Amino acid sequence: MKLILLGAPGAGKGTVAKMLTQLDGSVQISTGDILRGAVAAGTELGKQAEAAMKRGDLVSDDLIMGIMGKRLQEPDCKNGFLLDGFPRTIPQAEALKGLLARLGIKLDTVVSIDVPREVILDRLTTRRTCSNAKCQAIYNVKSNPPKKEGVCDKCGSPVVQREDETEAAISHRLETYNQKTAPLIGFYEKEGMLLSVNATSSEAVIAAIKRKLGK
Ligand code: ADP
């Protein structure tokens, strides 16, 4: 599968991507995970991205295209990839179109996951993330807590609230999404690539994708 997953923060892109990787060996590529890993490792990339991320602003299109230009050429992408959190702006979508054409890659579809704002707000304030940059497993204090409070089931590292998951940063991220990312829905609709899914359960989103791809 070669998919783009679109949706507001908290729409479930990461969860859906992880479930899809189980189906056919496609890799999940999350620009947010890559950036958080770089911040944790203190690399040059991390230093450039950190301030914008903390505020809930987007990092620059050039920085993101630099990452993705390389990432999409790594060998594991041959089996398929699920783009989670990228593209996030019209310039990124235009640049991705050029990049895919140059690499001779054709996308299957672009999935837009629509979830009501109240559900999103509730999910983001109760979301917790594994602090280990290599793991970044996601939990929810209400619906999916770790077995031992504050400890990751998968790797044993502390489970924390992300720095951009304070109420102020969350509402800023949602605003940024509406302004910069929501226009991609129209962009991909025009390209004839859009699958819109109105669903709050990840299983329903997976079922709609399978139907669309005939899997
Ligand atoms: P969420 O989808 O939950 O908001 P992500 O983990 O996808 O979170 O992204 C976290 C932060 O990383 C974003 O708020 C932004 O600062 C940065 N980021 C991730 N992907 C992109 C992108 N494609 N373009 C610009 N900034 C990005």
Side-chain angles (χ1 to χ4, degrees), residues 9 13 31-32 36 57 59 64 85 88 92 127 162 173:
K13 301 181 296 288
T31 41
R36 274 187 294 279
D57 281 330
V59 309
I64 295 289
R88 212 77 149 219
Q92 288 180 22
R127 178 153 88 175
R162 267 167 48 180
R173 276 161 64 208

